[in-house]
Amino acid sequence: MKPAPFKYFAPDSLEAALELKAQHGDEAKPLAGGQSLIPAMNFRVAQPSILIDLNRIPELRGIRANGALTIGGMTAQSAAEKDALVAQHTPLLHEAIPNIAHPQIRNRGTIGGSVAHADPAAELPVVCLALRARMLAQSQSGQRWIEAQQFFAGLFTTALSADELLTAVEFPLARERTGYAFLEVARRHGDYAMAGLAAVLALDENGACSEARLVYLNVGDGPLEATQAVASLVGKKPSEEAFAEAAQIASQVDMQPFGNLHATPDFQRHLSGVLTQRALNLALSRIPKKAAKAK
Amino acid sequence: MSDTYSITLSINGKSYQSEVEPRLLLADYIRQVAGLSGTHVGCEHGVCGACTILLDGQPVRSCIMLAVQADGHELTTVEGLASDEKNLHPLQEAFWEAHGLQCGFCTPGILMTLLPYLQEHPNPTEHEVREAISGNLCRCTGYQHIVDAALLAAKKMHNGA
Ligand SMILES: Cc1cc2nc3c(=O)[nH]c(=O)nc-3n(C[C@H](O)[C@H](O)[C@H](O)COP(=O)(O)OP(=O)(O)OC[C@H]3O[C@@H](n4cnc5c(N)ncnc54)[C@H](O)[C@@H]3O)c2cc1C
Ligand code: FES
Ligand code: FES
């Protein structure tokens, strides 16, 4: 249970880190919070020959709101959890973060590390997809923004190329007439969840659903979007029946869960269905009242 | 042996300087190089919480952090709690009085998790205490006495009870 030997670099600027990444490509793993990477190295499931520790690069930390909410890749999950801008502008993210592991892990684990890790059981990729976040990928030759829909490319796989680092995640600000909810069920607080989802529900002036997003964790090889369930909702006025139908389609048609140590595929479908109804009701109840009843 | 790195860090107010291999885990540095065996190692993958220490005042797992990463930082381990051999910290006294441990393996991690928590939350409910220690596993106690001890510690730390 000890890591295999590796070469270690701890650059103190992004420029230096990108130069190392350009030189060593896939051989070199960025080390963010280490809360997924070091356990994998202890088990020797991961044996990178080079580590580029990003912890000594201050410019990668920080949160700003300026038309959108931008979080530096190396911002600790616990810092984002306590941040007032996050609470105000991205309530879904604010609600999701405390579900990630335990405080001791969130003190080291980073926003960018979790997003780059692309674990289908993780909360942050689900939030990124539900909010249509964009990821900033930087390399020595420049930078590009990658939309969440393209970024998560499969099991522990992202659209980042070998010479790129994820340097920031940009979330659109919470919108009018829109409610957000994140719910999950885990065996014990802090464990990876058996099922869970992020729900976004937007109403038009007439109170009908104009847009919705339902994105699930741990039931696919990445964050799973229930597009058919959403299609059933759009255009309808929110009601118990409409939510029940969406929950049914999401859990029975949109997803093909594999099951895991703690839950069979059927149980994951059941949980996802129940959580869908609860999350839609919660999202609806959070739409500012004035807007919700506007006729 | 691969390259070594020179690191300087402080543990419980004492400065240490060492040459370490980058793959040395911080938990192993604390136990084997600094000789502070109060920090326990259970699972080595971040799950059990036995190795929890404070890094610049914040609780972290020392088994999933590299010793080189602690260069320039201030650490506190369970040995840093009591002011001297005769006077336990109120948190430790509470664990003693409320029988908050049996074998004691999980105790250092639980104390180092609770210390900053109780400093920030002077008057937690039982439910909040259970949530605060949800990242620490105990194989012996069934947690009830740990929770009792934590609630007693909150009183001792804040009212001198
Ligand atoms: C006991 C335990 C329970 C956990 N429970 C949960 C949970 O319930 N939900 C959850 O979501 N997570 C959980 N985690 C994982 C935790 O959230 C990690 O912090 C997260 O998955 C990875 O973030 P990190 O900053 O620690 O990244 P690291 O572990 O340092 O890196 C993860 C991967 O991403 C790559 N990477 C990191 N940063 C970048 C970057 N900027 N650019 C490109 N690649 C990069 C690394 O090379 C590595 O491959 C748990 C971890 C533990 C130990
Ligand atoms: S030994 Fe570190 S968490 Fe178990
Ligand atoms: S007292 Fe034995 S593990 Fe907790």
Side-chain angles (χ1 to χ4, degrees):
Chain A
M1 291 287 294
K2 308 291 174 193
F6 53 85
K7 253 180 116 61
Y8 174 80
F9 296 100
D12 57 11
S13 71
L14 176 59
E15 218 185 337
L18 293 175
E19 189 181 329
L20 286 164
K21 198 69 180 115
Q23 248 169 46
H24 301 287
D26 275 336
E27 290 273 284
K29 279 255 178 209
L31 174 61
Q35 304 299 286
S36 293
L37 182 54
I38 298 186
M41 289 171 62
N42 284 354
F43 279 120
R44 301 212 178 181
V45 174
Q47 299 199 10
S49 50
I50 297 167
L51 281 192
I52 307 174
D53 187 347
L54 306 180
N55 282 279
R56 307 222 177 238
I57 311 177
E59 62 202 280
L60 289 179
R61 288 181 212 276
I63 301 175
R64 337 182 274 286
N66 182 7
L69 185 97
T70 310
I71 304 187
M74 286 300 294
T75 306
Q77 292 156 7
S78 62
E81 178 180 1
K82 291 171 200 143
D83 189 84
L85 292 173
V86 171
Q88 183 191 345
H89 294 301
T90 49
L92 184 66
L93 179 61
H94 178 73
E95 187 170 34
I97 296 175
N99 293 287
I100 305 171
H102 312 288
Q104 300 102 320
I105 310 259
R106 297 197 293 276
N107 280 335
R108 295 289 300 166
T110 65
I111 298 290
S114 174
V115 171
H117 192 48
D119 184 337
E123 286 79 5
L124 294 181
V126 163
V127 172
C128 288
L129 186 55
L131 294 180
R132 298 293 192 253
R134 302 196 294 167
M135 324 301 158
L136 183 59
Q138 287 187 261
S139 70
Q140 238 186 347
S141 49
Q143 65 171 59
R144 61 183 177 131
W145 286 99
I146 309 174
E147 308 287 327
Q149 302 98 293
Q150 277 82 50
F151 187 82
F152 300 106
L155 205 60
F156 300 104
T157 307
T158 69
L160 289 174
S161 40
D163 62 342
E164 284 177 325
L165 290 175
L166 171 61
T167 55
V169 183
E170 184 195 87
F171 297 90
L173 304 186
R175 287 184 306 187
E176 289 192 311
R177 282 203 295 267
T178 306
Y180 302 87
F182 187 92
L183 287 179
E184 68 172 43
V185 178
R187 288 290 296 253
R188 187 178 58 137
H189 182 98
D191 287 353
Y192 283 102
M194 297 184 281
L197 82 152
V200 180
L201 181 69
L203 302 182
D204 62 21
E205 311 82 76
N206 302 318
C209 170
S210 55
E211 202 179 354
R213 303 233 177 80
L214 298 169
V215 184
Y216 296 78
L217 53 75
N218 221 354
V219 290
D221 55 12
L224 183 114
E225 185 151 26
T227 49
Q228 300 182 69
V230 164
S232 82
L233 268 178
V234 172
K236 286 194 191 136
K237 295 235 170 167
S239 66
E240 278 307 324
E241 300 76 64
F243 289 173
E245 189 191 349
Q248 167 74 15
I249 298 174
S251 59
Q252 302 303 324
V253 182
D254 281 307
M255 67 179 65
Q256 268 77 46
F258 321 127
N260 56 47
L261 195 60
H262 298 298
T264 61
D266 275 351
F267 188 39
Q268 287 192 296
R269 284 189 205 272
H270 171 76
L271 290 173
S272 298
V274 173
L275 290 174
T276 303
Q277 292 196 53
R278 285 190 197 162
L280 284 169
N281 276 308
L282 195 56
L284 178 65
S285 73
R286 287 171 173 172
I287 299 177
K289 281 290 168 295
K290 197 178 77 201
K293 58 172 188 289
K295 253 234 92 205
Chain B
M1 183 135 148
S2 61
D3 302 348
T4 61
Y5 293 76
S6 168
I7 60 170
T8 307
L9 66 160
S10 137
I11 309 181
N12 305 327
K14 187 175 159 202
S15 173
Y16 293 79
Q17 213 205 346
S18 320
E19 290 287 321
V20 297
E21 248 194 293
R23 65 170 170 154
L24 182 68
L25 299 174
L26 182 57
D28 292 332
Y29 178 87
I30 292 170
R31 290 175 56 84
Q32 291 160 19
V33 182
L36 296 167
S37 57
T39 299
H40 292 169
V41 173
C43 67
E44 290 192 313
H45 65 282
V47 171
C48 75
C51 67
T52 303
I53 58 150
L54 303 186
L55 175 76
D56 302 326
Q58 298 292 313
V60 301
R61 309 289 210 218
S62 60
C63 73
I64 48 175
M65 189 175 159
L66 305 171
V68 274
Q69 295 190 284
D71 185 26
H73 290 277
E74 286 185 16
L75 278 50
T76 311
T77 65
V78 70
E79 289 89 345
L81 280 179
S83 47
D84 58 60
E85 302 221 332
K86 297 226 167 61
N87 294 292
L88 292 179
H89 187 277
L91 179 57
Q92 292 168 307
E93 275 176 16
F95 268 69
W96 185 349
E97 286 168 27
H99 203 62
L101 60 144
Q102 289 180 22
C103 79
F105 192 86
C106 67
T107 314
I110 290 188
L111 296 179
M112 301 322 283
T113 300
L114 281 172
L115 179 70
Y117 179 79
L118 294 176
Q119 283 164 345
E120 282 165 34
H121 304 86
N123 200 7
T125 62
E126 173 179 343
H127 177 80
E128 287 165 346
V129 165
R130 287 187 186 272
E131 188 125 327
I133 58 166
S134 68
N136 296 76
L137 297 179
C138 174
R139 297 295 301 273
C140 305
T141 63
Y143 302 99
Q144 187 55 50
H145 289 179
I146 296 177
V147 173
D148 295 345
L151 292 170
L152 178 62
K155 291 209 186 82
K156 283 182 183 281
M157 285 167 65
H158 297 286
N159 320 323

